[in-house]
């Protein structure tokens, strides 16, 4: 675990885990959701993109940068993240995402999503939207600010 030292700028108060990308061939996307790989092999060290909605509760955090399969990378698990990948069509009415909305990892794109795409009301607020995100009538992603507390 890497705990960033306190400073007087936006980089303060962040915590990172060191994990290996346990995907067969897929790279983690910077700002994309990363979950624990619970397969009995490298439990607690290996991580993957979300494989199924049933495993959304294994959220570790957000990939700090693009990380190829089989290599070690950082996963931010606490603090503000300004480049998180966010699904823009994640609510039933395609309403805009609002500050404070609970987000969950979404299997279709490795992004974070709101209520309808993953029933966010059933999850603890591990990831919370920190800005308004415009919706889209088609499935699209954008990047934006979220607050993580996956510890």
């Amino acid at each position: 675990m890497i705990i960033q030292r306190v400073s007087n700028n936006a980089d303060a108060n962040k915590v990172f885990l060191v994990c290996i990308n346990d995907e067969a061939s897929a790279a983690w996307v910077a700002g994309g959701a990363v979950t624990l790989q619970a397969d009995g092999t490298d439990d607690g060290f290996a991580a993957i993109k979300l494989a199924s909605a049933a495993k959304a509760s294994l959220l570790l955090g957000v990939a700090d940068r693009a990380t190829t399969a089989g290599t070690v990378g950082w996963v931010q698990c606490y603090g503000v993240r300004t480049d998180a990948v966010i699904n823009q069509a994640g609510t039933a009415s395609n309403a805009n995402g609002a500050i404070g909305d609970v987000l969950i990892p979404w299997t279709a794109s490795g992004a974070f999503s709101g209520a309808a795409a993953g029933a966010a009301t059933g999850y603890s607020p591990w990831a919370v939207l920190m800005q308004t995100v415009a919706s889209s009538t088609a499935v699209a992603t954008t990047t934006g600010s979220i607050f993580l507390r996956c510890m």
Side-chain angles (χ1 to χ4, degrees), residues 6-95:
V6 176
S7 67
N8 62 353
N9 62 31
D11 288 333
N13 302 317
K14 293 181 181 180
V15 177
F16 298 89
L17 299 171
V18 178
C19 299
I20 188 166
N21 179 344
D22 203 33
E23 296 280 353
S25 61
W28 295 341
V29 176
V34 175
T35 60
L36 187 65
Q37 170 70 305
D39 62 1
T41 305
D42 294 320
D43 290 351
F45 180 61
I48 58 172
K49 293 179 183 179
L50 183 63
S52 70
K55 298 201 176 181
S57 62
L58 295 174
L59 177 67
L60 286 177
V62 172
D64 188 48
R65 47 184 64 102
T67 306
T68 57
T71 62
V72 174
W74 288 11
V75 176
Q76 184 177 342
C77 61
Y78 181 84
V80 174
R81 184 73 192 197
T82 57
D83 67 347
V85 182
I86 301 168
N87 179 30
Q88 291 182 282
T91 58
S93 63
N94 282 337

Side-chain angles (χ1 to χ4, degrees), residues 94-120:
N94 282 337
N96 291 339
I99 295 170
D101 282 357
V102 174
L103 301 171
I104 61 165
W106 191 44
T107 56
S109 63
F112 285 91
S113 188

